[in-house]
Amino acid sequence: MGGREVCTLELAVIFVAFVAVTTLISFISLGASALGGGPSADAGAYPVLTAGEPHLAPVGEVTGSSSVPGLSGGYIDTLAFRIAHTGEGGPVNLSRVTVTVMAGTYLEVLTQSGASRPGPGMWTATPLSDGDGGTLLEAGEDCTLRLNLDRPIPVDEGLTIKVRPEGSIPCTITGPVRVLVDAGAFS
């Protein structure tokens, strides 16, 4: 019966050794991470502008209308507004801009459209593309952004639009929307 006790003792020693080695490796990994031995913090990170002003600013008011018959007045799904380059930094490539719309429980990141009239969930800028696939907005220039949401939202929902050039602080547009009765006003 002495063999059975030896086997149990060997298993206990193996288990304790396993726990000790695992704990040691964990502490070494934690120590290396704390000392900066882990992966580089900026590897694959999105560029961030740490100071300064946004490169874009709103000009004028936001207008909206409904493309859905019977919902005009209280709901909107089509928006238009002007933005201008503030003169900070170089030209802004509008083809690399992110447009986000928030209103109440509605949140959508719109896709850029190459067409003059964007489809649902899309946006476009006028002037249209310069032929190279991008639209550069030079310092002091402005353009009109046209947005088509994927569903109508109530006019009184507290609309916030963020227009973010790549690597820059977003231009935030908030406030009331002037509702247009004629949806054809965006053509």
Side-chain angles (χ1 to χ4, degrees):
M1 299 223 198
R4 185 174 232 169
E5 291 172 1
V6 171
C7 182
T8 305
L9 182 60
E10 287 175 355
L11 286 175
V13 169
I14 291 171
F15 179 73
V16 169
F18 174 76
V19 170
V21 170
T22 305
T23 304
L24 180 63
I25 291 172
S26 297
F27 282 130
I28 291 171
S29 296
L30 282 173
S33 295
L35 295 175
S40 173
D42 56 340
Y46 195 76
V48 176
L49 183 66
T50 57
E53 298 292 320
H55 294 189
L56 300 174
V59 177
E61 63 187 358
V62 178
T63 58
S65 69
S66 176
S67 63
V68 179
L71 287 181
S72 62
Y75 289 85
I76 55 172
D77 65 350
T78 307
L79 300 164
F81 55 91
R82 295 188 71 71
I83 57 169
H85 190 299
T86 62
E88 297 286 326
V92 173
N93 186 348
L94 292 176
S95 68
R96 305 201 64 175
V97 165
T98 303
V99 177
T100 306
V101 178
M102 298 170 281
T105 60
Y106 181 86
L107 172 65
E108 182 177 10
V109 178
L110 302 173
T111 305
Q112 186 180 17
S113 169
S116 61
R117 295 193 69 150
M122 302 181 100
W123 69 274
T124 191
T126 307
L128 294 175
S129 176
D130 59 13
D132 294 334
T135 302
L136 294 180
L137 190 61
E138 300 287 340
E141 292 182 339
D142 62 49
C143 69
T144 301
L145 265 60
R146 300 181 193 296
L147 286 59
N148 190 345
L149 308 179
D150 67 350
R151 64 182 166 91
I153 58 171
V155 174
D156 59 354
E157 280 288 331
L159 179 72
T160 300
I161 304 167
K162 293 198 176 272
V163 180
R164 184 180 188 275
E166 183 178 58
S168 179
I169 296 172
C171 165
T172 302
I173 299 143
T174 59
V177 175
R178 183 170 61 96
V179 179
L180 301 176
V181 178
D182 180 17
F186 290 129
S187 17

